[in-house]
Amino acid sequence: MKNIVILISGRGSNMEALIAARDAGNLPVNIAAVISNRPDAQGLETAKKAGIATHYLDHKAFAGREAFDAALAECIDGFAPDLVVLAGFMRILSEGFVRHYEGRLMNIHPSLLPSFPGLHTHQRALEEGVRIHGCTVHFVTPTLDHGPVIIQAAVPVLDADDEDALAARILVQEHKIYPQAVRWFAEDRLRLENGRVRLSTALAGSGVLISPEIR
Ligand code: GAR
């Protein structure tokens, strides 16, 4: 069974979705540890309650990004993960860190990448007036919120939406697509071809999820 380490900075609801999928028998992985860069991350408590090893590494205690990333990698590698899962880990990662985990570092981002990388994605989507918005799970490359797309979920943007309503609609989908992406990795169904993800089709599944409101 593959070993995963999850990195969080806050609430940890995507981490919780991964734990729930594992507990339901839908995610055949060993969650070796949950690591946060913030001591007060709510998700650390949730992970502890689930019996998972937790660590925190305060980025403010390090001289710079490289020093923090090196210490973080050392902590992560102590658990020998096959996959490192960024679940609301709100740090820009150094190139050396990303290269070290090439092909085994996943992120979830609350937009349909390559649209709206960075912060405040829902507010920006509302300002642009897009009709479809969503979320993306991708392999991480050194460019922020960029890299081969594994799965995306799309939701409608409704006239009455504010940032919170849109975020909530998308979070429901995040909690579906992240366990799905990690499951595909665990089943060795993902391969990279010319910088794009191919999903082996021996079993059912596809890298797109359209929310029922759109159909
Ligand atoms: C999620 O919406 C995730 O997509 C986003 O942070 C939130 C974390 O929530 N990640 C990013 O914006 C990364 N660029 P959670 O802590 O409840 O999983």
Side-chain angles (χ1 to χ4, degrees), residues 78-133:
F79 296 96
D82 299 288
L83 178 68
V84 178
V85 177
L86 306 178
F89 188 62
M90 305 308 275
R91 293 272 311 163
I92 292 176
L93 299 166
S94 60
E95 176 157 1
F97 182 93
V98 173
R99 296 258 180 249
H100 179 65
Y101 295 105
E102 200 166 350
R104 53 193 184 108
L105 183 60
M106 259 185 211
N107 182 42
I108 188 155
H109 182 74
S111 78
L112 291 172
L113 291 173
S115 293
F116 308 120
L119 297 173
H120 311 299
T121 55
H122 308 312
Q123 188 56 42
R124 286 155 60 208
L126 289 169
E127 281 163 15
E128 291 292 342
V130 297
R131 292 300 183 186
I132 294 176
H133 187 38

Short mmCIF file of all heavy atoms in Angstrom, two decimals, residues 78-133:
data_model
loop_
_atom_site.label_atom_id
_atom_site.label_comp_id
_atom_site.label_asym_id
_atom_site.label_seq_id
_atom_site.Cartn_x
_atom_site.Cartn_y
_atom_site.Cartn_z
N GLY A 78 11.19 11.60 6.26
CA GLY A 78 11.22 10.68 7.40
C GLY A 78 10.07 9.69 7.35
O GLY A 78 10.14 8.61 7.97
N PHE A 79 9.02 10.01 6.61
CA PHE A 79 7.87 9.10 6.49
C PHE A 79 7.89 8.32 5.17
O PHE A 79 6.93 7.59 4.88
CB PHE A 79 6.56 9.90 6.61
CG PHE A 79 6.39 10.54 7.95
CD1 PHE A 79 6.76 11.86 8.16
CD2 PHE A 79 5.92 9.79 9.02
CE1 PHE A 79 6.63 12.44 9.41
CE2 PHE A 79 5.79 10.37 10.28
CZ PHE A 79 6.15 11.70 10.47
N ALA A 80 8.92 8.51 4.38
CA ALA A 80 9.11 7.79 3.12
C ALA A 80 7.83 7.74 2.27
O ALA A 80 7.38 6.66 1.88
CB ALA A 80 9.61 6.37 3.40
N PRO A 81 7.26 8.89 1.97
CA PRO A 81 6.01 8.85 1.21
C PRO A 81 6.21 8.55 -0.27
O PRO A 81 7.22 8.93 -0.86
CB PRO A 81 5.47 10.28 1.37
CG PRO A 81 6.69 11.12 1.54
CD PRO A 81 7.69 10.27 2.28
N ASP A 82 5.23 7.87 -0.84
CA ASP A 82 5.18 7.70 -2.30
C ASP A 82 4.59 8.95 -2.93
O ASP A 82 4.84 9.24 -4.09
CB ASP A 82 4.29 6.51 -2.66
CG ASP A 82 4.84 5.23 -2.07
OD1 ASP A 82 5.86 4.75 -2.57
OD2 ASP A 82 4.25 4.72 -1.08
N LEU A 83 3.76 9.65 -2.15
CA LEU A 83 3.06 10.82 -2.67
C LEU A 83 2.93 11.87 -1.55
O LEU A 83 2.60 11.52 -0.41
CB LEU A 83 1.65 10.42 -3.13
CG LEU A 83 0.75 11.53 -3.67
CD1 LEU A 83 1.28 12.06 -5.00
CD2 LEU A 83 -0.69 11.02 -3.85
N VAL A 84 3.17 13.12 -1.91
CA VAL A 84 2.95 14.24 -0.98
C VAL A 84 1.75 15.02 -1.49
O VAL A 84 1.69 15.41 -2.66
CB VAL A 84 4.20 15.14 -0.90
CG1 VAL A 84 3.94 16.32 0.03
CG2 VAL A 84 5.40 14.33 -0.41
N VAL A 85 0.77 15.21 -0.61
CA VAL A 85 -0.53 15.78 -0.99
C VAL A 85 -0.67 17.15 -0.35
O VAL A 85 -0.74 17.26 0.88
CB VAL A 85 -1.66 14.83 -0.50
CG1 VAL A 85 -3.02 15.42 -0.80
CG2 VAL A 85 -1.53 13.46 -1.15
N LEU A 86 -0.71 18.19 -1.18
CA LEU A 86 -0.91 19.55 -0.67
C LEU A 86 -2.41 19.80 -0.56
O LEU A 86 -3.12 19.80 -1.56
CB LEU A 86 -0.28 20.58 -1.61
CG LEU A 86 1.21 20.37 -1.96
CD1 LEU A 86 1.68 21.44 -2.94
CD2 LEU A 86 2.07 20.38 -0.71
N ALA A 87 -2.88 19.99 0.67
CA ALA A 87 -4.32 20.13 0.89
C ALA A 87 -4.56 21.45 1.61
O ALA A 87 -4.68 21.50 2.84
CB ALA A 87 -4.86 18.95 1.70
N GLY A 88 -4.56 22.54 0.83
CA GLY A 88 -4.68 23.86 1.45
C GLY A 88 -3.39 24.25 2.13
O GLY A 88 -3.39 24.88 3.19
N PHE A 89 -2.26 23.87 1.53
CA PHE A 89 -0.94 24.25 2.07
C PHE A 89 -0.56 25.57 1.40
O PHE A 89 -0.23 25.60 0.22
CB PHE A 89 0.09 23.16 1.76
CG PHE A 89 1.41 23.37 2.45
CD1 PHE A 89 1.50 23.39 3.84
CD2 PHE A 89 2.58 23.55 1.72
CE1 PHE A 89 2.71 23.58 4.48
CE2 PHE A 89 3.80 23.74 2.36
CZ PHE A 89 3.86 23.75 3.74
N MET A 90 -0.67 26.65 2.16
CA MET A 90 -0.61 27.99 1.56
C MET A 90 0.80 28.55 1.58
O MET A 90 1.06 29.59 2.20
CB MET A 90 -1.61 28.92 2.27
CG MET A 90 -3.04 28.40 2.28
SD MET A 90 -3.68 27.93 0.66
CE MET A 90 -4.26 29.51 0.09
N ARG A 91 1.70 27.86 0.90
CA ARG A 91 3.08 28.31 0.80
C ARG A 91 3.53 28.22 -0.65
O ARG A 91 3.17 27.28 -1.35
CB ARG A 91 4.00 27.36 1.60
CG ARG A 91 3.83 27.38 3.08
CD ARG A 91 4.65 28.40 3.78
NE ARG A 91 6.06 28.42 3.40
CZ ARG A 91 6.87 29.44 3.64
NH1 ARG A 91 6.42 30.52 4.25
NH2 ARG A 91 8.14 29.40 3.28
N ILE A 92 4.31 29.20 -1.07
CA ILE A 92 4.98 29.08 -2.36
C ILE A 92 6.19 28.19 -2.14
O ILE A 92 6.94 28.37 -1.17
CB ILE A 92 5.40 30.48 -2.88
CG1 ILE A 92 4.13 31.28 -3.22
CG2 ILE A 92 6.32 30.36 -4.08
CD1 ILE A 92 4.39 32.70 -3.64
N LEU A 93 6.35 27.19 -2.99
CA LEU A 93 7.41 26.20 -2.77
C LEU A 93 8.62 26.53 -3.65
O LEU A 93 8.48 26.94 -4.80
CB LEU A 93 6.88 24.81 -3.11
CG LEU A 93 5.70 24.37 -2.24
CD1 LEU A 93 5.00 23.16 -2.85
CD2 LEU A 93 6.17 24.08 -0.82
N SER A 94 9.80 26.29 -3.09
CA SER A 94 11.02 26.57 -3.86
C SER A 94 11.17 25.53 -4.96
O SER A 94 10.65 24.41 -4.88
CB SER A 94 12.24 26.55 -2.94
OG SER A 94 12.34 25.28 -2.33
N GLU A 95 11.93 25.91 -5.98
CA GLU A 95 12.11 25.01 -7.13
C GLU A 95 12.77 23.69 -6.69
O GLU A 95 12.37 22.61 -7.14
CB GLU A 95 12.94 25.71 -8.20
CG GLU A 95 13.22 24.79 -9.36
CD GLU A 95 13.53 25.51 -10.66
OE1 GLU A 95 13.55 26.75 -10.67
OE2 GLU A 95 13.76 24.79 -11.65
N GLY A 96 13.75 23.79 -5.79
CA GLY A 96 14.45 22.59 -5.33
C GLY A 96 13.49 21.61 -4.66
O GLY A 96 13.55 20.40 -4.89
N PHE A 97 12.57 22.14 -3.86
CA PHE A 97 11.58 21.30 -3.17
C PHE A 97 10.70 20.59 -4.19
O PHE A 97 10.48 19.37 -4.13
CB PHE A 97 10.73 22.18 -2.24
CG PHE A 97 9.72 21.42 -1.43
CD1 PHE A 97 10.01 20.97 -0.15
CD2 PHE A 97 8.46 21.15 -1.95
CE1 PHE A 97 9.06 20.27 0.60
CE2 PHE A 97 7.52 20.45 -1.22
CZ PHE A 97 7.82 20.02 0.06
N VAL A 98 10.21 21.37 -5.15
CA VAL A 98 9.29 20.80 -6.15
C VAL A 98 10.00 19.73 -6.98
O VAL A 98 9.45 18.66 -7.22
CB VAL A 98 8.71 21.92 -7.05
CG1 VAL A 98 7.90 21.34 -8.19
CG2 VAL A 98 7.84 22.86 -6.21
N ARG A 99 11.23 20.00 -7.37
CA ARG A 99 11.99 19.03 -8.18
C ARG A 99 12.22 17.73 -7.40
O ARG A 99 12.18 16.64 -7.96
CB ARG A 99 13.34 19.61 -8.61
CG ARG A 99 13.20 20.81 -9.53
CD ARG A 99 13.45 20.47 -10.99
NE ARG A 99 13.30 21.65 -11.81
CZ ARG A 99 12.32 21.86 -12.68
NH1 ARG A 99 11.39 20.94 -12.88
NH2 ARG A 99 12.25 22.97 -13.38
N HIS A 100 12.48 17.90 -6.11
CA HIS A 100 12.74 16.72 -5.26
C HIS A 100 11.54 15.75 -5.29
O HIS A 100 11.71 14.54 -5.19
CB HIS A 100 13.01 17.21 -3.84
CG HIS A 100 13.27 16.12 -2.84
ND1 HIS A 100 14.37 15.29 -2.91
CD2 HIS A 100 12.55 15.70 -1.76
CE1 HIS A 100 14.33 14.42 -1.90
NE2 HIS A 100 13.23 14.65 -1.19
N TYR A 101 10.32 16.31 -5.42
CA TYR A 101 9.11 15.47 -5.39
C TYR A 101 8.45 15.36 -6.76
O TYR A 101 7.25 15.08 -6.85
CB TYR A 101 8.11 16.03 -4.37
CG TYR A 101 8.63 15.97 -2.95
CD1 TYR A 101 9.08 17.12 -2.30
CD2 TYR A 101 8.72 14.76 -2.27
CE1 TYR A 101 9.58 17.07 -1.01
CE2 TYR A 101 9.23 14.69 -0.98
CZ TYR A 101 9.65 15.85 -0.36
OH TYR A 101 10.15 15.78 0.91
N GLU A 102 9.23 15.56 -7.80
CA GLU A 102 8.66 15.55 -9.15
C GLU A 102 7.86 14.27 -9.42
O GLU A 102 8.33 13.16 -9.16
CB GLU A 102 9.80 15.66 -10.18
CG GLU A 102 9.32 16.13 -11.51
CD GLU A 102 10.47 16.55 -12.42
OE1 GLU A 102 11.63 16.65 -11.95
OE2 GLU A 102 10.18 16.77 -13.60
N GLY A 103 6.63 14.46 -9.88
CA GLY A 103 5.78 13.30 -10.19
C GLY A 103 5.12 12.68 -8.98
O GLY A 103 4.36 11.71 -9.10
N ARG A 104 5.42 13.19 -7.79
CA ARG A 104 4.80 12.62 -6.58
C ARG A 104 4.39 13.75 -5.61
O ARG A 104 4.42 13.59 -4.41
CB ARG A 104 5.71 11.59 -5.91
CG ARG A 104 7.10 12.06 -5.63
CD ARG A 104 8.04 10.92 -5.26
NE ARG A 104 9.34 11.46 -4.90
CZ ARG A 104 9.82 11.50 -3.66
NH1 ARG A 104 9.15 10.98 -2.67
NH2 ARG A 104 11.00 12.04 -3.42
N LEU A 105 4.01 14.87 -6.21
CA LEU A 105 3.54 16.03 -5.44
C LEU A 105 2.27 16.53 -6.11
O LEU A 105 2.27 16.94 -7.26
CB LEU A 105 4.62 17.11 -5.46
CG LEU A 105 4.39 18.39 -4.66
CD1 LEU A 105 4.18 18.10 -3.17
CD2 LEU A 105 5.59 19.35 -4.83
N MET A 106 1.15 16.47 -5.36
CA MET A 106 -0.16 16.85 -5.90
C MET A 106 -0.68 18.05 -5.15
O MET A 106 -0.43 18.22 -3.96
CB MET A 106 -1.17 15.73 -5.67
CG MET A 106 -1.45 14.87 -6.85
SD MET A 106 -2.76 13.69 -6.42
CE MET A 106 -2.26 12.35 -7.46
N ASN A 107 -1.48 18.86 -5.86
CA ASN A 107 -2.10 20.03 -5.23
C ASN A 107 -3.56 20.12 -5.66
O ASN A 107 -3.92 19.67 -6.75
CB ASN A 107 -1.37 21.30 -5.69
CG ASN A 107 -1.92 22.56 -5.04
OD1 ASN A 107 -2.21 22.58 -3.83
ND2 ASN A 107 -2.08 23.61 -5.81
N ILE A 108 -4.37 20.71 -4.79
CA ILE A 108 -5.73 21.05 -5.21
C ILE A 108 -5.85 22.56 -5.20
O ILE A 108 -5.36 23.24 -4.28
CB ILE A 108 -6.82 20.39 -4.33
CG1 ILE A 108 -8.20 20.64 -4.95
CG2 ILE A 108 -6.77 20.88 -2.88
CD1 ILE A 108 -9.24 19.62 -4.57
N HIS A 109 -6.47 23.09 -6.25
CA HIS A 109 -6.59 24.54 -6.39
C HIS A 109 -8.04 24.87 -6.71
O HIS A 109 -8.66 24.22 -7.55
CB HIS A 109 -5.66 25.04 -7.50
CG HIS A 109 -5.70 26.53 -7.64
ND1 HIS A 109 -5.09 27.37 -6.73
CD2 HIS A 109 -6.30 27.34 -8.54
CE1 HIS A 109 -5.31 28.63 -7.07
NE2 HIS A 109 -6.05 28.64 -8.18
N PRO A 110 -8.57 25.93 -6.06
CA PRO A 110 -10.00 26.24 -6.23
C PRO A 110 -10.30 27.08 -7.46
O PRO A 110 -10.88 28.17 -7.37
CB PRO A 110 -10.34 26.97 -4.93
CG PRO A 110 -9.07 27.64 -4.53
CD PRO A 110 -7.95 26.75 -5.00
N SER A 111 -9.92 26.59 -8.63
CA SER A 111 -10.33 27.19 -9.90
C SER A 111 -10.09 26.16 -11.00
O SER A 111 -9.41 25.14 -10.77
CB SER A 111 -9.54 28.46 -10.23
OG SER A 111 -8.26 28.13 -10.73
N LEU A 112 -10.63 26.45 -12.16
CA LEU A 112 -10.36 25.59 -13.32
C LEU A 112 -9.06 26.11 -13.95
O LEU A 112 -9.08 26.96 -14.83
CB LEU A 112 -11.53 25.67 -14.32
CG LEU A 112 -12.84 25.03 -13.84
CD1 LEU A 112 -13.98 25.34 -14.79
CD2 LEU A 112 -12.68 23.52 -13.67
N LEU A 113 -7.94 25.59 -13.48
CA LEU A 113 -6.64 26.02 -14.02
C LEU A 113 -6.58 25.71 -15.51
O LEU A 113 -7.17 24.73 -15.94
CB LEU A 113 -5.50 25.31 -13.26
CG LEU A 113 -5.32 25.74 -11.81
CD1 LEU A 113 -4.28 24.85 -11.12
CD2 LEU A 113 -4.92 27.21 -11.71
N PRO A 114 -5.93 26.55 -16.33
CA PRO A 114 -5.04 27.63 -15.94
C PRO A 114 -5.74 28.96 -15.62
O PRO A 114 -5.06 29.96 -15.44
CB PRO A 114 -4.13 27.78 -17.15
CG PRO A 114 -4.97 27.35 -18.30
CD PRO A 114 -5.87 26.28 -17.78
N SER A 115 -7.07 28.99 -15.54
CA SER A 115 -7.72 30.23 -15.10
C SER A 115 -7.50 30.43 -13.60
O SER A 115 -7.58 29.46 -12.84
CB SER A 115 -9.23 30.16 -15.34
OG SER A 115 -9.50 30.15 -16.71
N PHE A 116 -7.34 31.65 -13.21
CA PHE A 116 -7.29 32.06 -11.81
C PHE A 116 -6.29 31.30 -10.93
O PHE A 116 -6.67 30.70 -9.93
CB PHE A 116 -8.69 31.96 -11.17
CG PHE A 116 -9.75 32.66 -11.96
CD1 PHE A 116 -10.86 31.95 -12.45
CD2 PHE A 116 -9.67 34.02 -12.23
CE1 PHE A 116 -11.84 32.59 -13.19
CE2 PHE A 116 -10.65 34.67 -12.96
CZ PHE A 116 -11.74 33.95 -13.44
N PRO A 117 -5.01 31.31 -11.29
CA PRO A 117 -4.02 30.83 -10.31
C PRO A 117 -3.95 31.85 -9.17
O PRO A 117 -4.48 32.96 -9.30
CB PRO A 117 -2.72 30.81 -11.12
CG PRO A 117 -2.93 31.81 -12.22
CD PRO A 117 -4.41 31.83 -12.51
N GLY A 118 -3.31 31.47 -8.08
CA GLY A 118 -3.11 32.43 -6.99
C GLY A 118 -4.29 32.48 -6.02
O GLY A 118 -5.06 31.52 -5.91
N LEU A 119 -4.43 33.63 -5.38
CA LEU A 119 -5.40 33.77 -4.28
C LEU A 119 -6.73 34.36 -4.76
O LEU A 119 -6.82 34.84 -5.89
CB LEU A 119 -4.81 34.67 -3.18
CG LEU A 119 -3.54 34.14 -2.50
CD1 LEU A 119 -2.97 35.20 -1.56
CD2 LEU A 119 -3.82 32.85 -1.72
N HIS A 120 -7.73 34.32 -3.89
CA HIS A 120 -9.04 34.97 -4.11
C HIS A 120 -9.69 34.52 -5.43
O HIS A 120 -10.23 35.34 -6.18
CB HIS A 120 -8.88 36.49 -4.08
CG HIS A 120 -8.12 36.99 -2.89
ND1 HIS A 120 -8.54 36.77 -1.60
CD2 HIS A 120 -6.93 37.64 -2.80
CE1 HIS A 120 -7.66 37.27 -0.76
NE2 HIS A 120 -6.67 37.80 -1.45
N THR A 121 -9.61 33.26 -5.70
CA THR A 121 -10.07 32.74 -7.00
C THR A 121 -11.58 32.96 -7.19
O THR A 121 -12.02 33.28 -8.30
CB THR A 121 -9.76 31.24 -7.12
OG1 THR A 121 -10.35 30.57 -6.00
CG2 THR A 121 -8.27 31.00 -7.15
N HIS A 122 -12.35 32.79 -6.11
CA HIS A 122 -13.81 32.89 -6.27
C HIS A 122 -14.23 34.34 -6.51
O HIS A 122 -15.07 34.63 -7.36
CB HIS A 122 -14.52 32.31 -5.05
CG HIS A 122 -14.04 30.92 -4.73
ND1 HIS A 122 -13.93 29.94 -5.69
CD2 HIS A 122 -13.61 30.35 -3.57
CE1 HIS A 122 -13.45 28.84 -5.15
NE2 HIS A 122 -13.25 29.05 -3.86
N GLN A 123 -13.61 35.24 -5.76
CA GLN A 123 -13.91 36.65 -5.95
C GLN A 123 -13.56 37.09 -7.38
O GLN A 123 -14.32 37.80 -8.03
CB GLN A 123 -13.12 37.49 -4.92
CG GLN A 123 -13.49 38.95 -4.88
CD GLN A 123 -14.99 39.15 -4.63
OE1 GLN A 123 -15.59 38.47 -3.80
NE2 GLN A 123 -15.61 40.04 -5.39
N ARG A 124 -12.41 36.61 -7.85
CA ARG A 124 -11.98 37.00 -9.21
C ARG A 124 -12.90 36.40 -10.26
O ARG A 124 -13.22 37.05 -11.27
CB ARG A 124 -10.53 36.58 -9.43
CG ARG A 124 -9.55 37.49 -8.68
CD ARG A 124 -8.23 36.80 -8.37
NE ARG A 124 -7.53 36.36 -9.54
CZ ARG A 124 -6.68 35.32 -9.56
NH1 ARG A 124 -6.45 34.63 -8.45
NH2 ARG A 124 -6.08 34.99 -10.65
N ALA A 125 -13.37 35.19 -10.03
CA ALA A 125 -14.29 34.56 -10.99
C ALA A 125 -15.59 35.37 -11.05
O ALA A 125 -16.15 35.60 -12.13
CB ALA A 125 -14.57 33.11 -10.58
N LEU A 126 -16.06 35.82 -9.87
CA LEU A 126 -17.30 36.63 -9.84
C LEU A 126 -17.07 37.95 -10.57
O LEU A 126 -17.92 38.39 -11.35
CB LEU A 126 -17.72 36.88 -8.39
CG LEU A 126 -18.28 35.66 -7.65
CD1 LEU A 126 -18.41 35.95 -6.16
CD2 LEU A 126 -19.63 35.23 -8.23
N GLU A 127 -15.93 38.57 -10.34
CA GLU A 127 -15.64 39.85 -10.99
C GLU A 127 -15.55 39.72 -12.51
O GLU A 127 -15.97 40.59 -13.25
CB GLU A 127 -14.33 40.43 -10.44
CG GLU A 127 -14.52 41.10 -9.08
CD GLU A 127 -13.20 41.31 -8.33
OE1 GLU A 127 -12.13 41.20 -8.95
OE2 GLU A 127 -13.27 41.56 -7.12
N GLU A 128 -15.02 38.58 -12.97
CA GLU A 128 -14.88 38.36 -14.42
C GLU A 128 -16.21 37.98 -15.06
O GLU A 128 -16.34 37.99 -16.28
CB GLU A 128 -13.86 37.25 -14.70
CG GLU A 128 -12.43 37.62 -14.38
CD GLU A 128 -11.86 38.69 -15.30
OE1 GLU A 128 -12.42 38.92 -16.38
OE2 GLU A 128 -10.87 39.32 -14.91
N GLY A 129 -17.17 37.55 -14.22
CA GLY A 129 -18.47 37.17 -14.76
C GLY A 129 -18.47 35.83 -15.47
O GLY A 129 -19.33 35.58 -16.33
N VAL A 130 -17.51 34.95 -15.12
CA VAL A 130 -17.52 33.63 -15.78
C VAL A 130 -18.77 32.86 -15.34
O VAL A 130 -19.29 33.06 -14.25
CB VAL A 130 -16.24 32.81 -15.46
CG1 VAL A 130 -15.01 33.50 -15.99
CG2 VAL A 130 -16.11 32.56 -13.96
N ARG A 131 -19.25 31.99 -16.21
CA ARG A 131 -20.46 31.21 -15.92
C ARG A 131 -20.15 29.84 -15.35
O ARG A 131 -21.01 29.19 -14.78
CB ARG A 131 -21.29 31.06 -17.21
CG ARG A 131 -21.88 32.37 -17.68
CD ARG A 131 -22.78 32.92 -16.59
NE ARG A 131 -23.44 34.16 -17.00
CZ ARG A 131 -24.18 34.89 -16.18
NH1 ARG A 131 -24.33 34.53 -14.92
NH2 ARG A 131 -24.76 35.98 -16.62
N ILE A 132 -18.92 29.40 -15.58
CA ILE A 132 -18.49 28.10 -15.05
C ILE A 132 -17.19 28.31 -14.29
O ILE A 132 -16.28 29.01 -14.76
CB ILE A 132 -18.30 27.07 -16.19
CG1 ILE A 132 -19.64 26.76 -16.84
CG2 ILE A 132 -17.68 25.78 -15.66
CD1 ILE A 132 -19.55 25.84 -18.03
N HIS A 133 -17.13 27.71 -13.12
CA HIS A 133 -15.94 27.82 -12.27
C HIS A 133 -15.71 26.43 -11.70
O HIS A 133 -16.48 25.51 -12.00
CB HIS A 133 -16.27 28.87 -11.19
CG HIS A 133 -15.14 29.28 -10.30
ND1 HIS A 133 -13.84 29.45 -10.74
CD2 HIS A 133 -15.13 29.59 -8.97
CE1 HIS A 133 -13.10 29.85 -9.71
NE2 HIS A 133 -13.84 29.94 -8.64
#
